[in-house]
Amino acid sequence: MLKLTIDNQPVAVPAGTKVIAAAEKLGIMIPRFCYHPALGSVGACRVCAVSVLKGPRTGIQMSCMLDVEDGMVVATGDPAAVAFRRQVIEWLMANHPHDCPVCDEGGHCLLQDLTVSGGHGRRRFPGKKRTHRDQQLGPLIQHEMNRCIQCYRCVRFYREFAGYPDLGVTGIAARVYFGRFREGTLESPFAGNLIDICPTGVFTDKPSRYKGRRWDFQRSPSICIHCSLGCHTTVSARYREIVRIEARFSPTVNGHFICDRGRYGFAYANAPERPRQGRIDGETQPVSTALDAALERLTTVSRTHGPDAVACIGSARSSLETLGALKRLCERRSWRGPFLWPDAQTARAVQTAAACLAPELRLSMKELEDADFILVVGADPVNEAPMLALALRQAQRQGATIAVCDPRPVALPFAFEHLALAPPFLADAIRIFARAAAGPPQAGVRASGGDAHPPDPNMPPAVQARLAAMGATARTCRRPVIVCGTQIVNSRTVARAADTARMLKSADKPAGLFFVLPGANAFAAALLSDENGAFNTLQAGIADGHVKAVLAVESDLPAAGEGLAPALKSLDLLVVCDYLNTAAARAADILVPTRSVFEEGGIFINQTGCAQRAAPVHVGGTPVAQTGGGDHPPRTFERSIPGAEALSAVQALDRLAGTETADPPAALADLHPVLAPFASRKWPDEGQLLDLSSEAAPSADWPPEEPPAAGKTFELVVRERTFGSEALSQRADCLRPLEKAPRILVHSDDAARLGIAAGDRVALTCAGGVIEGTADVRNTVAAGVVIVDRHRELNWPAAGAGWVRIEAKQIHKIEKERER
Amino acid sequence: MLPKTRKKALQKEIAAAEHARELVVDVLMALQAHYGHVTDEAVFEAADLLGMTPMEIEEVATFYTFIYRRPVGKYVIHVCDSVICWMESERPLLEVLCEKLGIAPGETTADGLFTLLPVCCIGYCDRAPAMLINRKAYGPLTENKIDRILTGLRQEG
Amino acid sequence: MYPQVLFQNRQPDRTATIKTYRAGGGYRALADVLQQNAAARVRQVLLDAALLGRGGAAFPAGVKLSTVAEDAPYPRYVVCNADEMEPGTFKDRVLIFADPHQLIEGLILAGFAVHAETGIIFIRPEYEGAAAILEREVRVAEKAGYLGKDILGSGFDYRIVVHRSGGRYICGEVTAQINALQGKRPNPLQPPPYPTEKGLWQKPTVLQNVETLCCMPHIVAKGADWFKNLSLTPSGAGTKIFGISGRVQQPGCYELPMGVPLSEIIEDHAGGMIPGSEFKACLPGGASTGFLPARHYHIPMDFEALKKAGNRLGTGAIMVFDHKTCLVGVTLNLMEFFARESCGWCTPCREGLPFIRELLYEIESGRGKPEYVPMLQEMSRHLWHAYCAFAPGAAAPLASLLDEFEDEIQDHIKRKACPFSALT
Ligand SMILES: Cc1cc2nc3c(=O)[nH]c(=O)nc-3n(C[C@H](O)[C@H](O)[C@H](O)COP(=O)(O)O)c2cc1C
Ligand code: SF4
Ligand code: FES
């Protein structure tokens, strides 16, 4: 540690720290434009000048470029430094438009802040302002180059940090320009961060243009619920509308950034079609009336046919509180459930992951960035958990070797090795890797499990050799990490990933394990329900008439497949509690609207087992823009807030249970022993890490599954997409243009064998119905695999799970006339 | 499209280089020689040849004085407007040339022959005032001399 | 007549061939040190000779070569800076045209001194003629066995590549040049790491000016003392190519001993001031040095003396201004140059220079306001805190205008016109 003095205050920081960061430790925010902790120092803007009174070089120095030295004395308020900083502001303002009144950055603009605090108010520049032409950069980001102060943050983030090629800097001198080669939508799914990172108004949030100043907004810290990573966000609301989401710094989860799915996925909360009132048999009713009717009818079914005739369904997008209330309701009324999973395979995979995620193995995203070898198995980061791709990239930038074993054509913003393997090979792939990574047996080092079963002979020898080579590399690495998905793999693969991580770890390395789970609260769902809690087990019950009534809470039933739809029709009663206007909500006999995370807040447990709380942002209600029909303020005045009748799901479920939870945190603690910490009201900023791992964690020593019959059987895999597949964000209009056209993908060899060409219409006959779509033929798809995009235009739920086996004869080219 | 033989030659040069990227200016110059200026198509071709992205090519191409991203005439006149040439001319050369060619700085004559670009010191201060036409230096210049040079070039067409 | 070292083979309108160069003793130094495998001796003699970089920064060449660590990684590079874009400077062009093998030998010697594999000549596009000569003569040197594998049986391999720039002043700055050579945008990069440690392709790189390299064969051949004794002043060493332009009768390049008085250069070598002209000031070493007023007319032209006078020898490109030249106009022209050529990386340079240019333009056009003078003074000081040496270079003529010729500025403001416009 080096000791120095800044503004007469002593501070000790490690060698290599820049003065600007050391000052921050003392709470002294030295002005900056180009410096950003995530992007580092480049010394371009020169506004971080300080005076060094004692040190190797004295006088005015840029604090972002200056390494601390022992005994250094720095004065940030020295008149010479202040005068220079003011000069920099004047220079930057010489060409800056005076359009703060119509600039959406106004009110949270670093340039505005420094201009005001520096006291620059009189224009002394006699020349003309330079002007630029703006570019159309797509639906999310507004470009206004005239406001640019050339801090280079945008390209440094976009190209260096995030790894996308389509934004750059052109020109020279006073004409440097930041934009694309040609106009057009920015390619990166992280482009929205440009808005946060630009210190002025060059990149502003397009969907929320002119919706208010930052000080007009109700702002709250929140947690993103569009995937399992649980990135930290700040949500802004105004006039009963969620207006904007920004990244909120988290040292362990997302750092400074979020992805565009998380930034723009919130439109569902404002949607005009969002259920705001209760409905009984097609008639609009007050919420409490609908709830009373639900209670009455559910009770009747339960009395008449036994409590077993009522089933309760939930999903991983609900808060822990809601899931807990649902579980309590089931227990109290002896109703079936909760059913929280679309299928048993996913349930088992997530359960296994949760049980394997021992505290000593799990890594945060920040720690993942420190890995020097990463094996990704059965995960497609950009599509399933976008911010994971950025974390992987940071590791790669620091020299990590990254390999991905996955049947999908995985694309990542950096160089990596992709082994396109069908799901049945993934567990074996890990094993071959693990064996090489373990090296010769050593005393005290646990061998990787599963040795009893020889690897699948169908796995190509070249692939086996690559895996062994990777294992050998991992052996020499300081921090090898296994990243494993749970959407398209079985629990055997998951367990083996964990076993391998444990093996690497015991070799005295900070190795680790990182899972990707399906859904923001999949971990909580694993906590509160087991593999029997999958809808497709429920389906049988409905079909054979045992289940007469279903209560669905914040659940997209279509995920259970078309098969469930006729089953639902045969029910006596369908009650839906939701804040989305889902197909189930539309089909419901009774609909009870609930509050979204923005109105209610809630606890979500991310894939590392970290329980994080989202704070409520606003009371909610129908947005003024909708009640006023564009007119504002509304002309009729009443005491109640229009459209704010919805109850929280917890309240609704408690009413159905006939209880009232006096102390919700304590009630959580009763649900499961690991939730005990919730009884105390102290909430750690960084969330509460939960430990579900058990001695009885499933072993990877499971028998291998039936090997695929080459050419005769195919593995059908459902692929999530960054945009368009996740339940909530797919409802955001502004993201629609970013969705990729949904496709059915096959490897070119398989396509040739099946007689399918790219662009053909193809039908897959599955247990749950027919999936019809346009074929895409790629070499980057694993052989023997058919991939279906999880998109509203495809009947993907018919697949029945993220990965199922089908026979070649279930795949047809549609000979009938091409559609559209 | 670059003629095949020219492209092959470039590919050979690139293959022989230690790092392909070091040839970016040479490749752009070659494309410029072929197209007259670096067209958008040329940017894509350069990117392709060098294994860079079009954006990276554009970043470099727009930095340099001698890479033209917009059409230019057959003769590109780089007229020095730096200090010695400025001091040594009766009347700024740029002004003289604008008048004689009937165009403003940065423009090309209607017949497509001349493009006029003011540039920084071209390193012929001992022959001030000076200019370059297609990179050949002329100086010291007088109005008469300029007339003669332009007439000569017009005759060559 | 002073001894001609770098110009010994210079002839009007003719480029010295390898034959001429060898006849004058060329390539003998190289053959010697290669045979004796005396890389360390090359470094030492350059160190002893106190050869200061001729590209403007006056950094000791021997020191630079010696900072490449013995155990530094390979490949290593030597770059010859033939960018020469500073207004008023044209000596490197003349040197290449006069005697290309002198430069080639210097570049090989520098390469040998640091065990480099490649020498690169980075040349501005305006010098296409010179680039073509160099390419041709490099092949000649290859044929003669001075380049290629196992040079003169010494086991030393070395090649020379001519790299044409796209043309920008900033490319002359070391780190910007390294970026340019890598096909990147030529923005400078603030050390550390220093190029001699991590330069081109992250490998040790020594970058020297054309003239500096041209001195090397002679120093290696004739020794450090000989070189030092060439100078008229004890503080200097060697000869210097002075490129003189402006209001003199015979502008051009003259090889003169270091320390030769300015007045002598103007009067005896450049033919004196043009008739009817009186010396008012000169920029002694290119556009990024300060105006040297008439009271320094007899100053010995070496690095030390000019430093003492608060100025710099820079590149030794002397631009002479007479009593009829408006120095506000000159400075405005220079600021126009610097503003145009700024790489656009940092604020003082990218925004400050156009601001300054605008203020000077107003003054020159008769619209100047008294408050512009203190603004200019402050801004010229603030230019020093730019990212690289470009903007401080631009500050030099501006600051000296303000210090030495404030009257001239005030006169513009008072008369609401340029007082010189009536004179011409
Ligand atoms: C903006 C700028 C432009 C420069 N241009 C040149 C140049 O054209 N030629 C040159 O030799 N040095 C130039 N230099 C100086 C170089 O940075 C460097 O000091 C020099 O080339 C080193 O060689 P030397 O030690 O042999 O002089 C320039 C420096 C700056 C800051
Ligand atoms: S001073 Fe700044 S803008 Fe100017 S050339 Fe140097 S880095 Fe570029
Ligand atoms: S923050 Fe230090 S120069 Fe920009």
Side-chain angles (χ1 to χ4, degrees):
Chain A
M1 295 296 253
L2 302 176
K3 293 200 186 92
L4 68 158
T5 309
I6 303 175
D7 292 350
N8 299 318
Q9 301 174 65
V11 61
V13 289
T17 308
K18 303 290 179 196
V19 170
I20 198 168
E24 224 170 294
K25 282 198 118 185
L26 290 170
I28 301 167
M29 276 304 267
I30 297 175
R32 78 278 308 270
F33 288 126
C34 64
Y35 171 79
H36 186 284
L39 308 179
S41 309
V42 293
C45 76
R46 318 306 278 178
V47 85
C48 67
V50 295
S51 284
V52 177
L53 306 178
K54 229 172 99 188
R57 277 176 303 159
T58 55
I60 290 186
Q61 302 286 341
M62 299 308 132
S63 59
C64 75
M65 298 293 281
L66 193 62
D67 281 324
V68 293
E69 300 265 354
D70 230 354
M72 196 178 234
V73 179
V74 174
T76 66
D78 186 66
V82 171
F84 177 70
R85 294 202 299 258
R86 291 173 65 145
Q87 178 77 80
V88 170
I89 302 286
E90 178 177 29
W91 280 336
L92 290 173
M93 286 304 289
N95 282 302
H96 195 82
H98 294 176
D99 68 346
C100 301
V102 291
C103 175
D104 258 346
E105 192 78 4
H108 61 286
C109 173
L110 206 49
L111 180 63
Q112 193 178 49
D113 291 350
L114 291 190
T115 305
V116 171
S117 65
H120 172 66
R122 198 169 75 83
R123 185 170 180 75
R124 303 192 294 175
F125 180 58
K128 279 191 191 159
K129 286 181 200 280
R130 104 189 125 225
T131 54
H132 290 289
R133 222 168 281 158
D134 302 328
Q135 285 183 329
Q136 199 287 105
L137 297 176
L140 306 181
I141 294 164
Q142 184 71 37
H143 188 226
E144 270 161 289
M145 254 311 287
N146 288 346
R147 299 183 185 138
C148 180
I149 56 166
Q150 292 82 19
C151 66
Y152 291 73
R153 272 190 189 182
C154 55
V155 277
R156 285 155 59 214
F157 167 75
Y158 200 93
R159 289 258 288 275
E160 290 166 30
F161 193 93
Y164 287 80
D166 61 317
L167 185 85
V169 48
T170 56
I172 179 176
R175 299 187 323 278
V176 292
Y177 185 94
F178 299 85
R180 277 171 53 90
F181 177 60
R182 283 181 182 160
E183 283 198 319
T185 304
L186 288 163
E187 282 167 21
S188 168
F190 307 100
N193 292 301
L194 294 174
I195 297 161
D196 292 352
I197 209 157
C198 173
T200 159
V202 178
F203 299 99
T204 51
D205 191 280
K206 205 178 222 173
S208 69
R209 266 197 121 191
Y210 303 137
K211 291 207 169 161
R213 294 291 185 199
R214 181 171 277 186
W215 64 75
D216 296 322
F217 297 148
Q218 287 159 283
R219 283 165 63 78
S220 274
S222 191
I223 298 294
C224 177
I225 58 170
H226 298 287
C227 85
S228 63
L229 299 177
C231 294
H232 293 205
T233 58
T234 303
V235 182
S236 293
R238 192 186 191 199
Y239 296 143
R240 303 198 292 261
E241 185 181 333
I242 301 301
V243 175
R244 190 183 295 162
I245 287 183
E246 290 150 301
R248 178 165 60 96
F249 176 68
S250 153
T252 52
V253 184
N254 53 301
H256 291 86
F257 307 112
I258 55 172
C259 76
D260 289 354
R261 186 204 274 181
R263 186 180 297 269
Y264 295 106
F266 61 81
Y268 67 89
N270 303 330
E273 68 273 17
R274 181 173 160 184
R276 300 278 178 191
Q277 287 174 299
R279 206 182 62 223
I280 305 173
D281 299 329
E283 302 258 327
T284 299
Q285 296 285 353
V287 172
S288 58
T289 313
L291 195 54
D292 290 343
L295 177 57
E296 191 200 311
R297 290 199 204 172
L298 286 167
T299 315
T300 307
V301 172
S302 178
R303 285 221 188 95
T304 320
H305 303 283
D308 223 22
V310 179
C312 299
I313 300 178
S315 82
R317 71 169 150 94
S318 288
S319 68
L320 176 63
E321 294 89 329
T322 301
L323 294 176
L326 190 61
K327 185 162 168 98
R328 279 199 302 274
L329 171 65
C330 290
E331 277 166 5
R332 207 180 138 81
R333 298 283 189 196
S334 305
W335 291 343
R336 288 193 193 204
F339 296 88
L340 303 179
W341 304 101
D343 61 88
Q345 179 173 280
T346 309
R348 270 198 306 273
V350 179
Q351 289 280 344
T352 308
C356 290
L357 202 59
E360 71 275 12
L361 286 183
R362 73 174 142 211
L363 294 178
S364 67
M365 268 210 281
K366 184 72 200 162
E367 289 164 319
L368 187 63
E369 291 180 8
D370 178 49
D372 56 352
F373 183 96
I374 303 173
L375 180 70
V376 180
V377 183
D380 183 357
V382 174
N383 283 319
E384 290 179 357
M387 282 301 291
L388 170 59
L390 274 201
L392 293 174
R393 169 152 173 100
Q394 302 327 304
Q396 192 263 355
R397 285 175 76 202
Q398 283 159 49
T401 306
I402 299 176
V404 178
C405 297
D406 195 281
R408 293 164 286 190
V410 175
L412 290 168
F414 52 82
F416 69 102
E417 182 169 348
H418 180 205
L419 294 182
L421 284 174
F425 293 130
L426 293 176
D428 278 342
I430 300 177
R431 201 172 59 124
I432 296 167
F433 167 85
R435 271 204 183 160
Q442 268 173 275
V445 176
R446 190 180 142 177
S448 160
D451 283 0
H453 307 287
D456 194 310
N458 293 321
M459 183 153 9
V463 172
Q464 299 196 26
R466 278 310 302 146
L467 286 162
M470 285 174 197
T473 310
R475 206 156 90 83
T476 63
C477 286
R478 177 184 50 85
R479 186 169 209 171
V481 174
I482 312 285
V483 172
C484 186
T486 46
Q487 294 208 21
I488 64 150
V489 301
N490 57 18
S491 35
R492 178 169 169 252
T493 308
V494 171
R496 189 157 277 166
D499 259 9
T500 304
R502 198 171 297 116
M503 180 272 290
L504 291 167
K505 174 88 184 177
S506 56
D508 203 24
K509 292 176 176 187
L513 184 60
F514 191 95
F515 284 119
V516 181
L517 303 183
N521 230 347
F523 197 99
L527 196 79
L528 298 176
S529 123
D530 59 21
E531 64 185 82
N532 298 322
F535 318 148
N536 45 14
T537 50
L538 175 63
Q539 218 166 302
I542 299 174
D544 66 20
H546 276 108
V547 175
K548 302 277 184 205
V550 164
L551 167 67
V553 180
E554 299 176 352
S555 159
D556 308 317
L557 286 173
E562 255 181 9
L564 196 58
L568 289 178
K569 285 208 188 85
S570 70
L571 285 173
D572 290 354
L573 175 65
L574 174 61
V575 178
V576 170
C577 303
D578 208 333
Y579 51 86
L580 295 182
N581 183 27
T582 61
R586 288 191 295 272
D589 300 304
I590 299 177
L591 172 65
V592 179
T594 59
R595 290 167 29 180
S596 79
V597 66
F598 303 115
E599 296 112 41
E600 188 57 25
I603 296 167
F604 292 83
I605 310 176
N606 79 359
Q607 37 63 256
T608 67
C610 184
Q612 310 185 105
R613 178 179 286 169
V617 182
H618 66 167
V619 176
T622 310
V624 171
Q626 287 163 31
T627 54
D631 199 14
H632 175 76
R635 298 287 176 241
T636 50
F637 294 91
E638 41 181 313
R639 290 185 83 82
S640 64
I641 300 170
E645 256 187 81
L647 297 171
S648 77
V650 175
Q651 285 169 320
L653 294 172
D654 278 355
R655 290 258 299 269
L656 293 178
T659 53
E660 202 177 314
T661 312
D663 185 356
L668 280 181
D670 288 344
L671 282 170
H672 195 286
V674 302
L675 298 178
F678 295 99
S680 84
R681 268 146 220 286
K682 277 201 10 229
W683 189 261
D685 272 354
E686 274 312 313
Q688 176 74 50
L689 275 170
L690 305 180
D691 180 12
L692 268 195
S693 69
S694 56
E695 284 301 308
S699 152
D701 239 343
W702 293 349
E705 46 282 299
E706 203 50 34
K712 292 221 183 70
T713 60
F714 279 86
E715 313 302 320
L716 174 59
V717 165
V718 179
R719 171 168 75 151
E720 205 183 322
R721 305 308 321 256
T722 313
F723 303 114
S725 67
E726 182 267 327
L728 301 174
S729 62
Q730 63 166 303
R731 292 164 183 269
D733 283 343
C734 64
L735 293 178
R736 291 251 168 142
L738 296 156
E739 292 176 8
K740 303 264 164 56
R743 288 287 178 263
I744 295 176
L745 282 75
V746 278
H747 187 275
S748 31
D749 294 348
D750 292 332
R753 219 167 301 127
L754 293 164
I756 294 171
D760 284 350
R761 291 292 289 178
V762 172
L764 310 173
T765 316
C766 301
V770 178
I771 308 173
E772 198 185 307
T774 306
D776 195 354
V777 175
R778 306 258 197 102
N779 289 330
T780 43
V781 174
V785 170
V786 178
I787 294 171
V788 173
D789 279 340
R790 192 182 162 113
H791 189 278
R792 69 184 88 74
E793 284 170 24
L794 298 186
N795 181 29
W796 58 269
W803 160 36
V804 294
R805 181 165 298 167
I806 59 171
E807 302 203 7
K809 56 178 194 271
Q810 289 173 264
I811 306 171
H812 314 275
K813 180 166 156 183
I814 302 177
E815 300 293 354
K816 73 173 187 225
E817 222 178 302
R818 272 217 191 147
E819 291 177 25
R820 263 170 296 166
Chain B
M1 277 277 281
L2 216 50
K4 270 213 182 85
T5 46
R6 191 73 199 93
K7 190 168 170 179
K8 276 237 174 77
L10 278 179
Q11 279 166 333
K12 216 174 121 195
E13 236 182 285
I14 291 165
E18 241 178 298
H19 306 264
R21 295 183 69 111
E22 68 193 43
L23 291 177
V24 55
V25 170
D26 300 75
V27 168
L28 285 170
M29 290 292 186
L31 287 159
Q32 180 162 287
H34 174 70
Y35 290 100
H37 71 285
V38 175
T39 58
D40 284 2
E41 190 189 351
V43 171
F44 283 107
E45 275 185 271
D48 200 39
L49 280 164
L50 295 162
M52 293 164 72
T53 64
M55 189 73 238
E56 286 178 293
I57 299 288
E58 184 77 340
E59 290 189 318
V60 174
T62 54
F63 196 95
Y64 290 114
T65 309
F66 283 79
I67 292 171
Y68 317 125
R69 277 291 276 120
R70 281 195 242 151
V72 290
K74 183 169 175 201
Y75 300 106
V76 181
I77 306 180
H78 281 137
V79 49
C80 174
D81 63 0
S82 283
V83 60
I84 299 298
C85 291
W86 165 80
M87 182 169 66
E88 295 293 296
S89 357
E90 298 265 307
R91 200 149 70 94
L93 274 196
L94 183 64
E95 210 178 292
V96 173
L97 280 158
C98 283
E99 213 174 275
K100 295 199 184 301
L101 296 168
I103 51 173
E107 291 182 352
T108 302
T109 51
D111 57 7
L113 272 187
F114 298 101
T115 298
L116 184 56
L117 298 170
V119 293
C120 296
C121 179
I122 56 175
Y124 289 88
C125 316
D126 51 343
R127 291 201 243 154
M131 66 178 176
L132 296 175
I133 301 181
N134 289 0
R135 296 217 217 163
K136 187 167 175 280
Y138 296 85
L141 294 169
T142 58
E143 295 207 16
N144 282 341
K145 234 185 196 166
I146 292 175
D147 280 332
R148 279 203 302 277
I149 295 167
L150 293 183
T151 314
L153 292 175
R154 278 205 188 96
Q155 273 160 7
E156 267 175 55
Chain C
M1 204 43 195
Y2 294 112
Q4 296 292 287
V5 179
L6 304 184
F7 276 170
Q8 58 182 276
N9 297 321
R10 184 187 189 196
Q11 276 173 326
D13 298 324
R14 207 161 351 124
T15 298
T17 60
I18 192 167
K19 216 169 126 201
T20 318
Y21 182 62
R22 268 201 299 221
Y27 286 119
R28 219 170 283 157
L30 179 68
D32 265 12
V33 294
L34 282 182
Q35 257 145 40
Q36 296 160 21
N37 194 15
R41 202 186 89 207
V42 177
R43 296 196 297 268
Q44 190 59 45
V45 70
L46 293 172
L47 209 56
D48 295 342
L51 169 63
L52 300 185
R54 306 300 201 226
F59 190 82
V63 174
K64 198 185 286 178
L65 294 172
S66 306
T67 43
V68 178
E70 277 293 333
D71 59 352
Y74 293 93
R76 303 169 182 181
Y77 300 93
V78 177
V79 178
C80 164
N81 190 345
D83 193 52
E84 193 165 63
M85 274 201 61
E86 178 133 336
T89 314
F90 49 93
K91 63 183 176 73
D92 296 341
R93 185 196 84 220
V94 174
L95 277 167
I96 296 168
F97 269 105
D99 202 358
H101 286 280
Q102 174 173 261
L103 173 60
I104 292 170
E105 186 181 4
L107 188 51
I108 303 171
L109 281 169
F112 177 65
V114 297
H115 308 294
E117 291 171 14
T118 308
I120 300 167
I121 304 176
F122 185 96
I123 190 160
R124 65 182 300 192
E126 289 88 340
Y127 290 177
E128 179 50 39
I133 290 176
L134 283 169
E135 261 172 353
R136 188 185 70 211
E137 297 307 319
V138 162
R139 277 195 298 273
V140 170
E142 264 164 29
K143 274 221 189 83
Y146 299 123
L147 282 169
K149 296 260 172 241
D150 190 19
I151 299 169
L152 305 180
S154 65
F156 174 55
D157 304 339
Y158 193 67
R159 62 183 190 127
I160 290 182
V161 178
V162 176
H163 180 104
R164 288 168 175 79
S165 170
R168 276 299 174 192
Y169 173 53
I170 190 61
C171 296
E173 199 279 340
V174 191
T175 53
Q177 189 158 104
I178 287 169
N179 273 336
L181 283 168
Q182 297 175 113
K184 296 189 191 168
R185 280 171 69 79
N187 294 116
L189 264 180
Q190 193 170 300
Y194 287 89
T196 45
E197 185 195 326
K198 278 187 179 160
L200 193 53
W201 311 113
Q202 296 294 304
K203 293 292 183 325
T205 304
V206 170
L207 191 140
Q208 305 274 204
N209 172 255
V210 169
E211 187 184 347
T212 317
L213 290 167
C214 286
C215 291
M216 290 185 182
H218 306 286
I219 296 172
V220 174
K222 302 209 178 92
D225 287 338
W226 165 82
F227 187 73
K228 282 210 270 200
N229 287 333
L230 288 172
S231 168
L232 293 187
T233 47
S235 52
T239 60
K240 176 82 194 77
I241 309 292
F242 293 99
I244 185 162
S245 61
R247 298 313 221 188
V248 291
Q249 300 239 46
Q250 287 157 28
C253 272
Y254 302 95
E255 180 176 20
L256 301 168
M258 207 52 108
V260 64
L262 174 64
S263 50
E264 183 189 322
I265 302 178
I266 294 174
E267 288 165 18
D268 299 354
H269 304 286
M273 299 293 292
I274 56 169
S277 274
E278 273 166 42
F279 179 89
K280 174 155 84 179
C282 75
L283 290 168
S288 44
T289 57
F291 290 106
L292 196 67
R295 68 167 186 282
H296 291 300
Y297 188 53
H298 298 292
I299 193 168
M301 293 289 281
D302 77 5
F303 291 106
E304 266 313 300
L306 276 153
K307 203 162 149 195
K308 248 190 239 146
N311 213 315
R312 290 192 316 120
L313 182 63
T315 61
I318 305 168
M319 289 178 266
V320 179
F321 307 108
D322 66 357
H323 68 293
K324 286 185 281 189
T325 309
C326 171
L327 293 185
V328 175
V330 171
T331 313
L332 169 59
N333 183 289
L334 293 170
M335 293 304 122
E336 180 70 45
F337 161 80
F338 285 112
R340 192 193 288 167
E341 294 296 306
S342 162
C343 84
W345 180 256
C346 71
T347 310
C349 184
R350 185 191 59 246
E351 310 293 345
L353 289 170
F355 202 129
I356 290 165
R357 176 200 55 206
E358 221 53 48
L359 294 176
L360 287 172
Y361 179 71
E362 292 296 298
I363 295 171
E364 177 69 2
S365 315
R367 292 187 299 270
K369 297 181 188 163
E371 71 250 34
Y372 287 178
V373 179
M375 277 168 78
L376 285 168
Q377 271 156 347
E378 199 171 2
M379 286 187 194
S380 87
R381 272 201 307 280
H382 285 151
L383 285 180
W384 275 89
H385 307 302
Y387 183 82
C388 82
F390 181 110
L398 174 65
S400 62
L401 175 80
L402 291 158
D403 287 350
E404 303 280 354
F405 299 96
E406 200 193 323
D407 295 352
E408 229 178 279
I409 305 175
Q410 296 293 2
D411 218 20
H412 279 76
I413 297 172
K414 247 179 262 142
R415 293 181 197 221
K416 298 196 190 309
C418 172
F420 296 90
S421 55
L423 291 179
T424 47

